[in-house]
Amino acid sequence: MFKKLGLIFGPVILAFVLVFSIIMLVPESSHVKQNFNEEQRAANALTPTVFKSQKLKQQALSDAKHRFVPFFGSSEWNRMDSFHPSVMAEAYNRPYRPFLLGQRGAQSLTQYFGMQQITSQMRDKQAVFVISPQWFIKPGENSDAFKYYFNQAQALTWLQKDKSTTADRYAAKRLLEMNVSSSLNKYLEKVAAGKKLSSTDLTKIALKLRFLNHEDTLFANLQIGNNYKKNILPKTQNLPEIYNENRLNKLADCYAKKNTTNNKFGIQNTFYKKRISAQVGEIKGSQKNVNYLQSPEYGDLQLVLQQFAQTHTNVLFVIQPINEKWAKYTGLNTHMYQQAVGKIKHQLTSQGFTNIADFSTDGNKKHFMQDTIHLGWRGWLAFDKKVDKFLTTKQPTPVYNIRNKYYTESWMMNPYED
């Protein structure tokens, strides 16, 4: 009987041991080898693989010869028209290249844990962080979206550092609420309760993290695609050879007019046809009860701010507008929306984050929005102007003053009056 079981399960066990051994034998130092073509591909891939990978992010962001800057956000990076920040940087040979870190449904909590993999690469550097007020709904970040973009290595890296602050307890509670992995729960419960991890805990964490990092080093390059060649390089041919703001704005108007002919909202034709037209009648008035003033997202944003302060990262925050015609049609309370923007800006500026590109009042400008909530055409050009100035001119060294009050229920779940 044992011989039969051995014949059945033996090869499986042997294969597992062999795979484990191969993965563990891959040198961890390989993640620092520079390969510019590979880095360009990763920076524009916009895939969950890159979003989760420590190796790919560290490789590009540590390249001393090529300045990749992390651009944190969500689904806006997928709006790749000819005026997209990656296209503009490439076309006009900017001294930086955006490393796009965003996916549909990704919000502050996702970005915070992703940052744990690149803290060294963020230290004393610059970053761009796009905030969308529609993140700030009462349930906060969707747990399914969070789990889709989450990598256990992010949490294990985070757990290796001393965990004794208000921010640590808050982050552990939020991760438990997301229900990402039962294998992490015992560690997270300790941190959430203000308890120290034991030496045995830390040994197990280090071993598991080592395996995952080796696995990342071995397999990360296999699934990054080539968005750079397909969607970035070709679009540079559509732009004037020499940067000219007036010509670019006229060109943006031209593209926008051609691509917003099937609806009254100024929304891109393809987006309107695929996502809206079939249900446009049902959507009317559907956002009249939406509230962006009460949300755990304010606490999640505070984690991001705390991380930027720890790494002394100088950040430009970009606040996205909402298509004004769409807002009126769906009944969104624009006064409430501006109150939420004010609440977000207060949380930023009161702690020293004063670099803010606030486009929240520009949702009524022609050809500024590509769809209901995302920049496009003229909006991207306005974005590019702010970002380029921030990243290419000398900026004052920020002085941050992090306050734990932004983790409290009284801040997160109460209205805000300026």
Side-chain angles (χ1 to χ4, degrees):
M1 180 179 172
F2 288 113
K3 285 182 180 180
K4 288 181 180 179
L5 289 173
L7 289 171
I8 295 170
F9 294 109
V12 176
I13 295 168
L14 186 61
F16 175 80
V17 171
L18 184 61
V19 170
F20 181 85
S21 301
I22 291 170
I23 290 173
M24 293 300 282
L25 285 171
V26 174
E28 286 188 89
S29 60
S30 64
H31 76 275
V32 300
K33 291 180 181 177
Q34 309 303 158
N35 182 323
F36 183 52
N37 291 331
E38 188 177 278
E39 291 159 12
Q40 282 182 314
R41 288 170 58 208
N44 296 284
L46 288 173
T47 63
T49 297
V50 175
F51 208 38
K52 297 176 184 182
S53 171
Q54 173 177 280
K55 184 253 183 185
L56 294 172
K57 290 182 285 192
Q58 286 188 351
Q59 179 178 318
L61 297 175
S62 62
D63 188 340
K65 293 182 180 179
H66 305 97
R67 185 187 173 199
F68 285 94
V69 177
F71 278 46
F72 300 99
S74 54
S75 54
E76 62 279 341
W77 306 134
N78 286 295
R79 272 63 187 173
M80 285 186 170
D81 62 29
S82 296
F83 312 98
H84 184 280
S86 293
V87 178
M88 295 291 287
E90 184 69 30
Y92 297 112
N93 197 27
R94 299 278 166 74
Y96 60 86
R97 291 292 184 275
F99 194 107
L100 304 174
L101 292 168
Q103 293 280 299
R104 183 183 178 185
Q107 298 179 194
S108 298
L109 195 65
T110 291
Q111 297 292 8
Y112 171 73
F113 279 101
M115 286 175 189
Q116 304 313 307
Q117 299 173 307
I118 53 171
T119 53
S120 295
Q121 290 71 34
M122 287 168 55
R123 187 163 299 280
D124 299 316
K125 300 288 183 63
Q126 289 180 295
V128 175
F129 194 99
V130 175
I131 298 177
S132 298
Q134 67 270 15
W135 293 352
F136 294 78
I137 55 175
K138 203 161 189 176
E141 185 164 354
N142 180 278
S143 62
D144 289 335
F146 181 86
K147 283 185 274 193
Y148 187 66
Y149 302 125
F150 177 73
N151 179 353
Q152 271 200 52
Q154 297 166 354
L156 293 169
T157 301
W158 175 77
L159 284 166
Q160 282 195 314
K161 301 164 190 173
D162 180 48
K163 299 264 99 44
S164 58
T165 67
T166 300
D168 294 329
R169 293 191 290 275
Y170 174 84
K173 288 174 184 175
R174 290 291 286 139
L175 206 48
L176 284 166
E177 288 169 359
M178 293 293 156
N179 194 28
V180 288
S181 170
S182 57
S183 65
L184 292 173
N185 285 357
K186 60 182 178 181
Y187 308 130
L188 297 174
E189 286 165 0
K190 282 186 178 181
V191 175
K195 298 177 181 177
K196 284 192 173 185
L197 298 177
S198 68
S199 57
T200 302
D201 291 335
L202 293 171
T203 299
K204 290 179 180 178
I205 287 168
L207 183 62
K208 180 68 181 292
L209 180 60
R210 187 181 173 202
F211 175 80
L212 292 175
N213 286 342
H214 277 290
E215 187 179 42
D216 180 39
T217 299
L218 189 62
F219 298 116
N221 290 1
L222 302 179
Q223 301 178 57
I224 59 177
N226 209 336
N227 223 13
Y228 174 72
K229 273 193 176 180
K230 292 179 181 177
N231 289 312
I232 302 299
L233 274 182
K235 290 183 173 64
T236 63
Q237 303 304 310
N238 301 330
L239 301 176
E241 188 174 345
I242 298 172
Y243 181 92
N244 182 292
E245 189 175 345
N246 288 332
R247 286 186 65 191
L248 284 165
N249 277 315
K250 287 178 182 177
L251 186 61
D253 286 336
C254 181
Y255 278 117
K257 283 176 185 176
K258 288 180 181 178
N259 288 282
T260 56
T261 57
N262 68 355
N263 64 90
K264 62 183 180 181
F265 305 108
I267 292 172
Q268 185 184 44
N269 289 337
T270 52
F271 183 91
Y272 184 80
K273 186 177 179 180
K274 290 179 182 178
R275 303 278 293 274
I276 295 175
S277 60
Q279 52 185 339
V280 67
E282 301 167 24
I283 293 172
K284 188 173 184 178
S286 61
Q287 294 194 90
K288 62 184 178 181
N289 295 319
V290 169
N291 187 346
Y292 299 146
L293 290 164
Q294 298 172 303
S295 176
E297 185 67 29
Y298 290 100
D300 296 349
L301 174 61
Q302 184 62 17
L303 286 174
V304 167
L305 302 186
Q306 185 120 8
Q307 187 59 57
F308 283 141
Q310 285 176 1
T311 52
H312 306 288
T313 308
N314 199 350
V315 193
L316 175 67
F317 288 90
V318 179
I319 300 179
Q320 292 212 82
I322 291 177
N323 183 316
E324 188 175 273
K325 290 180 180 179
W326 183 252
K328 286 180 180 177
Y329 183 78
T330 59
L332 184 73
N333 184 330
T334 53
H335 175 67
M336 174 279 301
Y337 167 75
Q338 286 300 330
Q339 281 184 301
V341 171
K343 186 172 180 176
I344 292 165
K345 289 171 71 174
H346 175 81
Q347 187 168 334
L348 295 174
T349 57
S350 65
Q351 299 178 93
F353 296 91
T354 56
N355 296 311
I356 302 171
D358 180 7
F359 296 122
S360 66
T361 60
D362 294 328
N364 63 341
K365 291 183 178 178
K366 200 169 186 179
H367 305 152
F368 205 84
M369 310 289 295
Q370 192 185 92
D371 51 48
T372 58
I373 56 173
H374 295 109
L375 297 172
W377 305 299
R378 277 200 172 225
W380 274 140
L381 289 175
F383 174 98
D384 176 72
K385 192 174 179 180
K386 294 278 189 182
V387 169
D388 185 52
K389 182 179 180 182
F390 175 72
L391 294 177
T392 59
T393 60
K394 188 171 176 60
Q395 300 293 323
T397 302
V399 178
Y400 298 133
N401 179 26
I402 297 300
R403 301 178 182 179
N404 287 334
K405 75 172 189 177
Y406 295 115
Y407 293 116
T408 63
E409 290 288 318
S410 61
W411 172 254
M412 290 187 283
M413 304 309 290
N414 281 330
Y416 170 77
E417 293 291 343
D418 194 352

